[in-house]
Amino acid sequence: MERLRELRDEAVAAFESAVSAAALESARVRHLGRKSEINQVSRGLKDLAEDERRAVGRAVNELKNELGALLAAAGDRIARAGASSGPGLDLTLPGRRPWVGRKHPVTRTFERLEGIFRTLGFEVALGPHVEDEFHNFEALNMPADHPARDMHDTFYIEGGKLLRTHTSPVQIRVMQSRPPPIRIIAPGRAYRNETPDASHASEFYQLEGLYVDRDVRIGELKGVLTKFLHELYGEDVGIRFRPGFFPFTEPSVEVDVECRICEGKGCSVCKGTGWVELLGAGMVDPRVFQAVGYDPDEVTGYAFGLGVDRIHMMMSGVDDIRLYHENDLRFLRQV
Ligand code: PHE
């Protein structure tokens, strides 16, 4: 009788914990089947004395009835669970990999660029996104009537303020705050009221550079930018310095690199030319030095500005700048 109670508890536990029809069936065979211990007790009844046989016989019958009912209930439970979760649970399916968070491609690009310029001796400087006309334009030799202002479709806000149209005002703020030598980069966001298309977004990212000291020459500008582009794209990349114009640099250059997507053969990213314009640069215009109180006869310097979204586009083949600002996870998980 003692052993029957143990067998009961084992069988109840097995039926209740079964999660599939197959598991329940094997529990039934083990605990109630022909070779089960309970069945052996039934078969051994005939060897017992008359009064013992009656007592044990009743107990075995009651136990079989009870377990039979529990087995049916467990079968119903499993059938119901299966019906509510569709066509059964397929334990052989591969698991779903949880997504791991990571940095935005623009953040990763900034970190890479900052790393390269830090090894070249530049330190990081930051400035406000809400600027005034003086820092964004006037001190950069773009007075109110200057035609170059048309190129900067500006978002004006109340109180004569505006959203900076480039990171160049950080040059002005740094020079106003301390004397030369200055060797900074200024990473950050800029804003222009442009009609967005695949290569123009109303918000975009730039990295500004400024070096001011005695006797800084254009050869140093060329050397630093060449070194930078070699670090970024490899020493075999084609680089082209073209004459350009910016009101705050003289002379000015625009720097192209050979398209890394098509290796210069011509594709949609480089619009078939094999080259992509990545940088604007030049020697700081003496008028800029005057605006910040530096003596243009004492110091010279160079400045450059580059499009950070564009640099990432050139490394990855992403062909629409707006994707960087939409925060669509399907895009961010791929780049
Ligand atoms: N500020 C310029 C632009 O946004 C880029 C630039 C920076 C050019 C520094 C020359 C020197 O177009």
Side-chain angles (χ1 to χ4, degrees):
M1 297 294 263
E2 182 73 12
R3 181 65 189 142
L4 279 180
R5 267 192 292 278
E6 284 172 17
L7 291 173
R8 176 195 173 276
D9 292 346
E10 287 167 19
V12 170
F15 295 165
E16 284 179 352
S17 63
V19 291
S20 68
L24 186 62
E25 172 59 11
S26 73
R28 185 194 66 78
V29 170
R30 192 160 0 101
H31 296 282
L32 286 176
R34 257 187 325 111
K35 292 184 188 156
S36 66
E37 207 176 326
I38 291 177
N39 214 33
Q40 280 166 30
V41 174
S42 292
R43 270 183 282 163
L45 283 174
K46 59 182 188 315
D47 303 327
L48 295 177
E50 167 89 51
D51 54 341
E52 256 185 338
R53 184 164 63 218
R54 197 169 300 140
V56 177
R58 189 181 306 122
V60 172
N61 276 338
E62 279 171 11
L63 178 55
K64 281 185 173 172
N65 286 339
E66 186 196 358
L67 291 181
L70 286 174
L71 184 70
D76 284 350
R77 170 176 58 76
I78 289 166
R80 267 197 314 277
S84 66
S85 65
L89 179 63
D90 184 351
L91 296 174
T92 65
L93 282 174
R96 278 189 205 131
R97 188 187 291 268
W99 290 104
V100 177
R102 61 191 178 123
K103 291 177 182 168
H104 191 281
V106 169
T107 306
R108 281 186 275 126
T109 309
F110 267 127
E111 287 177 355
R112 177 118 187 260
L113 303 183
E114 285 172 30
I116 296 173
F117 281 111
R118 275 182 206 277
T119 65
L120 294 170
F122 289 79
E123 56 174 309
V124 173
L126 299 175
H129 293 203
V130 174
E131 265 297 1
D132 51 47
E133 305 234 4
F134 177 77
H135 291 91
N136 195 82
F137 290 127
E138 266 148 51
L140 289 160
N141 195 26
M142 294 164 87
D145 57 353
H146 197 290
R149 278 215 197 180
D150 291 348
M151 278 161 41
H152 293 231
D153 312 85
T154 310
F155 285 116
Y156 286 96
I157 37 187
E158 288 160 21
K161 299 269 185 174
L162 49 85
L163 292 179
R164 68 181 182 191
T165 58
H166 49 179
T167 43
S168 301
V170 183
Q171 292 185 31
I172 303 302
R173 291 187 177 274
V174 171
M175 288 190 280
Q176 283 178 322
S177 72
R178 55 185 147 111
I182 303 265
R183 197 189 327 229
I184 54 114
I185 50 169
R189 194 184 295 195
Y191 306 82
R192 283 186 206 178
N193 190 4
E194 280 179 302
T195 309
D197 63 24
S199 45
H200 297 92
S202 48
E203 297 173 45
F204 54 98
Y205 294 95
Q206 291 193 327
L207 185 116
E208 190 84 11
L210 174 69
Y211 179 38
V212 182
D213 204 345
R214 290 173 186 277
D215 291 326
V216 181
R217 297 166 194 222
I218 198 166
E220 291 175 58
L221 169 62
K222 200 173 172 195
V224 157
L225 293 182
T226 302
K227 174 77 182 157
F228 161 69
L229 292 170
H230 283 172
E231 288 287 326
L232 199 58
Y233 293 117
E235 306 224 333
D236 57 338
V237 70
I239 302 173
R240 198 161 78 169
F241 287 78
R242 283 182 293 110
F245 173 79
F246 300 100
F248 34 91
T249 49
E250 181 60 32
S252 303
V253 290
E254 286 178 8
V255 187
D256 303 335
V257 297
E258 199 182 12
C259 181
R260 300 314 270 164
I261 305 304
C262 62
E263 302 291 337
K265 288 185 202 68
C267 66
S268 65
V269 172
C270 60
K271 302 202 170 68
T273 64
W275 296 91
V276 174
E277 185 194 321
L278 281 188
L279 280 140
M283 301 307 291
V284 179
D285 193 289
R287 283 172 166 264
V288 174
F289 287 141
Q290 274 160 1
V292 299
Y294 285 5
D295 181 351
D297 293 329
E298 290 288 316
V299 292
T300 51
Y302 62 74
F304 56 87
L306 54 89
V308 176
D309 327 56
R310 245 191 218 184
I311 296 238
H312 187 270
M313 289 170 84
M314 273 287 283
M315 295 193 295
S316 60
V318 171
D319 58 6
D320 193 325
I321 194 170
R322 291 169 292 190
L323 289 166
Y324 293 99
H325 302 272
E326 287 168 357
N327 283 335
D328 185 332
L329 289 177
R330 290 169 303 177
F331 168 72
L332 295 174
R333 281 170 181 161
Q334 287 178 59
V335 292

